[in-house]
Amino acid sequence: MKNFSGKRSLCSGTGVHLRVVGVSDSKSLVVTPDIKQKELDDNILSEVWRVKSDGSSLSKLSGFECQVFSNGELRTEMLGIASLLGKSTGLALVDCSASSETIGVLKQGVDLGCCIVLANKKPLTSTLEDYDKLVSRPRYIRHESTVGAGLPVISSINRIISSGDPIHRIVGSLSGTLGYVMSEVEDGKPLSQVVKSAKSLGYTEPDPRDDLSGMDVARKALILARLLGRRIELSSIRIESLYPEEMGPSKMSVEDFLNSGLVKLDNNIEERVRKASLNGNVLRYVCVIEGTRCEVGIQELPKNSALGRLRGSDNVLEIYTRCYSEQPLVIQGAGAGNDTTAAGVLADILDIQDLFP
Amino acid sequence: MKNFSGKRSLCSGTGVHLRVVGVSDSKSLVVTPDIKQKELDDNILSEVWRVKSDGSSLSKLSGFECQVFSNGELRTEMLGIASLLGKSTGLALVDCSASSETIGVLKQGVDLGCCIVLANKKPLTSTLEDYDKLVSRPRYIRHESTVGAGLPVISSINRIISSGDPIHRIVGSLSGTLGYVMSEVEDGKPLSQVVKSAKSLGYTEPDPRDDLSGMDVARKALILARLLGRRIELSSIRIESLYPEEMGPSKMSVEDFLNSGLVKLDNNIEERVRKASLNGNVLRYVCVIEGTRCEVGIQELPKNSALGRLRGSDNVLEIYTRCYSEQPLVIQGAGAGNDTTAAGVLADILDIQDLFP
């Protein structure tokens, strides 16, 4: 769902008022009839929420004072609003989708003076050309929820960068699923059993290989690496998948993978856990960004580091800088979930609106 | 040292230019001859740094193109600059002192439209009346380095507050000295020995009782509690001192305290460590802010929590909110030191200058 919000006005002390002028899903766009003055009120927004919670399309919305545009008109209308409100009010285009199809509109939004708030990783992990366009006005883009959901990862790294403290190294466990998996295999449980438990606990995607491939972590690593100024593409990141190519989605069904594939991976992981343990270390599935190195995979890490002590599904980020050289700056907490993602997006929107007093 | 900086202008990509129009210590004020156009250049600033590093007064500065005002004129000149540049450029008054005497100038600076950047805890832990005045324009004050030096504590809490995620509880080890002391006594070392080692390692103030009193932690706790909207004064915080009143600075010399006082406290701490350990817990010297409760002292905490796992002098903050309810959001790292304090101050200055494009 994409969310167009206009300027906020401060009301009564701590309260803030966000004027939402439009909400869109992949098929429809709902807009207030007078975008210069009015907003989608709480009744409409509640109904939007209800419709989307039911898994329906926004096109089902009716009986409210709003305009509903369907697929064909969606993009044109969106850009019309962006050109009217972008430069004058700092309209924020908020992308909470997981699609690459939003990139075009977002780029045009930048040209039209809009602010950009992203929970969607795809636009920032597209080509460097797309990336450069999106961040061309760095004060007008926020994307906290792309890495670690609402955890203050991006904002903290931005503070470090602006303070001139050079960041030497970032190591992070940025997948709750893989964090859980690695701490369970550390306890001696077979990988196959741990992945099945994770799936039944709802920790994994419907096809657990979406987590085990490391691709999601790689996108987060790319976002962090680019934030540090590395001029790299997704394809230049070394990604270790936890399953071999012959067990990939195109060659094996989810059921076969869970029932017969996974178990073949148990011994190898068990052996690696044992070897690490002999060195006093543990295995974690992490991203490592250091110098020109940007990779994603299993690393041996000291048992008594923040990452080594990690248990369960929390995300952990260790940041080493000139100031934090021996002991890193550590940020840890739940790195996924609707609530914390939404909190991160909302904080971004408010942060950006501060630029338009 | 206090540091007046004017607007920054962006130069060549990542570089930023901060125009420093004046620098002051407790006795003197050095100002650029034309505050509207010019700045203290790098040569003068290097000399300022050299003079202060030598422990001398700024009044010793000479041979540069700048005006030097002495004590009597200091305040008047400072307010003159504030009234000229406050509203027009968003001049930042930067207070890196540890004095209460700056509060008056800072409050007048607020009235004159200046932004305020503090590493000094005193102004924010003065009366509620002073506090309210200083934060009356919340977008124009930053004080990251007052708690945890450059650690992103204040900025992260502000993000959580603005996202509407209610903060239920904050528990933090906010003294590197007391963090070190508590993790060493956990290992069975006598308190007296640990404090003496800490002193010889340079971890403590010249009189270690300045750390052991808990007053510094209490000031940080008050800053956090007020950030969460608690209307309390320093006097309403329950503070556990690690030494009894009869060993206080007015009743016993530092030498007597170290040589004969401290050792009398060993048994009690040893006993408490043992009891905690029987419950599977460890002792930490923390601040706890929860509901109307705001206290500072030794608490029994689970061994496997972020605070329980803390070793050495890092600061650790656990933040419990609606989103981070079972597992807290954790921020950890060096919470003291010139470099990290300066980095926090610089990030604050740049953050605030973003409001004046």
Side-chain angles (χ1 to χ4, degrees), chain A residues 139 159 162 330 332 350 354, chain B residues 139 162 330 332 350 354:
Chain A
R139 299 166 64 240
R159 279 187 67 88
S162 78
V330 179
Q332 175 167 356
L350 294 179
D354 263 355
Chain B
R139 299 166 65 239
S162 78
V330 179
Q332 175 166 357
L350 295 179
D354 262 354

Side-chain angles (χ1 to χ4, degrees), chain A residues 8-58:
Chain A
R8 71 163 163 156
S9 51
L10 277 162
C11 20
S12 64
T14 55
V16 288
H17 180 80
L18 279 171
R19 194 161 69 88
V20 179
V21 297
V23 180
S24 156
D25 61 12
S26 60
K27 296 199 188 66
S28 315
L29 170 66
V30 178
V31 179
T32 176
D34 172 6
I35 58 159
K36 288 211 171 168
Q37 301 288 339
K38 292 199 172 167
E39 63 188 319
L40 297 178
D41 67 25
D42 287 353
N43 290 328
I44 307 182
L45 291 176
S46 299
E47 186 61 13
V48 162
W49 176 80
R50 200 191 57 72
V51 165
K52 294 308 296 179
S53 300
D54 288 352
S56 304
S57 161
L58 279 182

Side-chain angles (χ1 to χ4, degrees), chain B residues 209-266:
Chain B
R209 286 171 295 189
D210 288 347
D211 300 293
L212 300 175
S213 71
M215 188 48 79
D216 185 62
V217 179
R219 285 193 190 277
K220 292 173 183 169
L222 181 59
I223 290 171
L224 296 182
R226 285 178 169 177
L227 200 59
L228 301 190
R230 311 283 188 275
R231 305 287 296 165
I232 57 172
E233 303 278 359
L234 193 56
S235 56
S236 29
I237 297 180
R238 229 178 70 193
I239 308 170
E240 179 186 3
S241 168
L242 290 192
Y243 59 85
E245 240 184 287
E246 61 267 26
M247 292 188 195
S250 63
K251 300 189 177 156
M252 201 181 256
S253 70
V254 184
E255 289 66 36
D256 286 350
F257 176 70
L258 287 169
N259 295 331
S260 59
L262 252 179
V263 73
K264 293 182 191 145
L265 309 175
D266 286 349

